[in-house]
């Protein structure tokens, strides 16, 4: 049996547990709220050439506030929730795709991510096909064909991080998965072993695919700050180091960040110029941790990144990495902030929101409230039956109207 067939058999036979359904409920509320928080982002006025799922996936990823599956380094829900909602799927359809995405991501391995692939979009296209296929009622054979048909769309690279391309890669993967499921439902043939060939070509190991355990093995990490997950730990550690310090940022002379090399891999912008780049900058994480009491949307805006005092602090960061680690929370981070002649330090492995430190109801409620502020939506409105209409009302742009506007533009 091929990898696609084994995963398809698992997905087709999935009977979610109470714990699985609780994870799906949290993922739904978190993803929809994050997408609504991005409703004024400029990219949403551009990406309406995508289908609904593509638009919603782009929205839920662009501000980098979405959840993460640590073991596969994939943002599972930013793909699987929009596809489930756009195709009329339920929590079970979401979980089927989420479980496939987690297992494919693990099979591709840390080497896949650390070599520069955007694992969310590589494994995401195939997962989207499973979500959409499950929603359409495809059997295991149909789901396997849908995954194979999604292989051509399974791309995306980390060099896009800090640009619109990052979130658009996710939107394209979501739409491609739906198309693959539709083709499979219409009778298109495919060789399921294409998935094994794809895993091998990308340097993964299909033998590691394990269909046992909960729907999403390892659970999902929830972000507390709207930035790359690799920044969640250093920001938290820096806030701990400076807790109780009567700090004048002008007195900061140097900041040391000691961390395994793996934990900074996606942090490619060392002198950020935009808010999107700041979300992938360890140096800017230091600056905002020193300057800001809160770490919300405003703190990761273009204006915040360009503050003179932030630029000064960025230049004071000394990152000391050891050549170790195979995931974003490898080892621990050790930060030392030199304020005048006095060092303030902290060590941390697991930040709030990680599976090892799940968000408290208060932390989750605060995040949802921040994301939904200014909208007419409350967290209790976000259900599997009603969330699609909420996104349609708030995010979907009519493509025909958009095309008419383009035609009228001189």
């Amino acid at each position: 049996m091929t990898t696609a067939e084994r995963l398809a058999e698992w997905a087709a036979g999935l009977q979610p547990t109470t714990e699985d359904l609780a994870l799906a409920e949290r993922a739904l509320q978190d993803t929809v709220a994050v997408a609504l928080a991005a409703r004024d982002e400029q990219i949403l006025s551009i990406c309406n050439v995508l289908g609904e799922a593509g638009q919603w996936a782009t929205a839920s990823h662009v501000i980098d506030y979405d959840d993460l599956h640590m073991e596969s380094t994939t943002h599972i829900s930013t793909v699987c929730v929009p596809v489930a909602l756009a195709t009329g799927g339920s929590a079970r359809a979401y979980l089927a795709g989420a479980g496939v995405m987690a297992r494919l991501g693990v099979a591709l391995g840390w080497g896949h991510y650390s070599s520069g692939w955007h694992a969310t979009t590589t494994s995401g296209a195939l997962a989207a096909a499973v979500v959409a296929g499950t929603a359409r009622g495809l059997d295991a054979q149909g789901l396997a064909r849908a995954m194979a048909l999604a292989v051509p769309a399974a791309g995306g690279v980390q060099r896009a991080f800090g640009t619109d391309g990052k979130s658009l890669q996710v939107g394209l993967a979501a739409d491609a998965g739906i198309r693959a499921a539709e083709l499979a439902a219409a009778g298109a043939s495919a060789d399921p072993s294409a998935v094994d060939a794809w895993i091998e070509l990308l340097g993964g190991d299909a033998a590691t695919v394990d269909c046992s355990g909960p729907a999403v093995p390892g659970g999902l990490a929830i972000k507390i700050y709207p930035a790359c997950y690799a920044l969640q730990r250093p920001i938290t550690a820096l806030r701990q180091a400076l807790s109780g310090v009567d700090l004048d940022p002008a007195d900061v002379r140097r900041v040391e960040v000691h961390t395994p090399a793996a934990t900074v891999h996606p942090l490619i912008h060392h002198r950020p110029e935009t808010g999107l780049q700041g979300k992938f900058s360890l140096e800017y994480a230091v600056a905002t941790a020193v300057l800001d009491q809160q770490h919300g949307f405003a703190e990761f805006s273009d204006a915040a990144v360009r503050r003179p005092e932030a630029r000064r602090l960025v230049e004071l960061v000394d990152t000391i990495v050891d050549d170790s680690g195979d995931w974003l929370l490898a080892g621990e981070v050790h930060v030392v902030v030199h304020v005048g002649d006095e060092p303030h330090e902290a060590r941390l492995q697991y930040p709030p929101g990680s599976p090892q430190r799940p968000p408290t109801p208060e932390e989750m409620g605060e995040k949802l409230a921040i994301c939904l502020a200014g909208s007419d939506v409350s967290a209790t409105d976000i259900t599997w039956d009603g969330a699609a209409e909420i996104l349609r009302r708030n995010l979907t742009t009519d493509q025909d109207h958009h095309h008419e506007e383009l035609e009228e533009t001189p």
Side-chain angles (χ1 to χ4, degrees):
M1 188 176 286
T2 67
T3 299
E5 289 168 330
R6 288 199 294 124
L7 287 169
E9 288 279 1
W10 172 85
L14 175 64
Q15 296 296 326
T17 66
T18 300
E19 291 76 15
D20 292 335
L21 293 171
L23 180 144
E25 186 71 19
R26 188 183 72 174
L28 172 71
Q29 290 194 336
D30 186 53
T31 305
V32 171
V34 168
L36 292 176
R39 61 190 176 275
D40 294 326
E41 292 291 319
Q42 183 180 7
I43 188 58
L44 299 189
S45 66
I46 300 171
C47 73
N48 55 6
V49 298
L50 300 174
E52 278 191 333
Q55 293 181 50
W56 299 347
T58 300
S60 65
H61 194 57
V62 66
I63 60 175
D64 266 283
Y65 214 5
D66 45 347
D67 64 29
L68 181 74
H69 182 248
M70 298 301 306
E71 292 81 358
S72 62
T73 325
T74 60
H75 298 277
I76 281 178
S77 298
T78 202
V79 173
C80 295
V81 166
V83 173
L85 295 177
T87 57
S90 62
R92 182 179 173 280
Y94 161 79
L95 289 165
V100 166
M101 189 165 175
R103 289 165 172 85
L104 284 175
V106 169
L108 291 173
W110 175 254
H112 174 71
Y113 184 84
S114 63
S115 66
W117 290 99
H118 187 189
T120 299
T121 53
T122 48
S123 58
L126 279 69
V130 172
V131 177
T134 301
R136 290 183 67 99
L138 292 183
D139 60 12
Q141 185 182 51
L143 292 177
R145 286 187 288 113
M147 277 188 274
L149 291 168
V151 164
V157 295
Q158 291 173 29
R159 198 61 239 178
F161 289 11
T163 73
D164 291 335
K166 181 176 190 283
S167 57
L168 288 173
Q169 287 178 165
V170 173
L172 289 164
D175 274 2
I178 292 177
R179 290 197 302 272
E182 290 173 345
L183 289 165
S189 65
D191 184 347
S193 67
V195 174
D196 290 279
W198 167 77
I199 292 172
E200 182 178 357
L201 286 168
L202 291 179
D205 182 3
T208 63
V209 171
D210 181 358
C211 293
S212 65
V216 183
L220 296 172
I222 299 295
K223 290 182 181 177
I224 302 300
Y225 314 120
C228 176
Y229 197 83
L231 296 184
Q232 307 294 306
R233 185 164 77 172
I235 290 175
T236 303
L238 285 157
R239 293 185 71 173
Q240 290 180 1
L242 295 172
S243 177
V245 177
D246 185 14
L247 179 67
D248 181 347
D251 292 336
V252 175
R253 297 289 175 259
R254 184 162 59 95
V255 180
E256 302 169 27
V257 181
H258 303 258
T259 189
T263 67
V264 297
H265 191 83
L267 305 181
I268 62 176
H269 293 287
H270 304 293
R271 301 294 182 271
E273 295 291 334
T274 67
L276 283 179
Q277 291 179 355
K279 293 172 182 285
F280 298 92
S281 172
L282 179 60
E283 292 80 5
Y284 181 69
V286 170
T288 186
V290 170
L291 294 172
D292 303 314
Q293 295 298 312
Q294 303 295 324
H295 295 92
F297 304 128
E299 287 71 30
F300 286 92
S301 65
D302 292 353
V305 166
R306 294 169 184 164
R307 290 173 289 178
E309 58 270 37
R311 292 185 185 275
R312 184 187 81 87
L313 288 164
V314 160
E315 298 298 331
L316 301 180
V317 179
D318 185 12
T319 305
I320 302 98
V321 299
D322 60 72
D323 189 19
S324 67
D326 58 1
W327 65 314
L328 293 180
L329 294 183
E332 64 177 13
V333 66
H334 174 206
V335 298
V336 186
V337 185
H338 296 269
V339 182
D341 295 328
E342 186 176 359
H344 301 272
E345 59 185 301
R347 296 175 181 269
L348 183 68
Q349 178 168 14
Y350 299 120
S354 62
Q356 295 80 8
R357 291 180 61 183
T360 65
E362 292 75 21
E363 287 172 331
M364 199 69 207
E366 181 179 356
K367 177 179 179 178
L368 294 175
I370 291 171
C371 289
L372 297 174
S375 76
D376 61 354
V377 179
S378 68
T380 55
D381 296 329
I382 303 174
T383 65
W384 288 104
D385 290 333
E389 185 53 39
I390 290 173
L391 294 179
R392 200 165 284 127
R393 187 174 72 245
N394 287 276
L395 296 179
T396 302
T397 303
D398 181 73
Q399 294 185 22
D400 292 337
H401 177 66
H402 175 66
H403 293 157
E404 289 171 5
E405 288 181 340
L406 291 178
E407 291 170 0
E408 294 171 2
T409 302

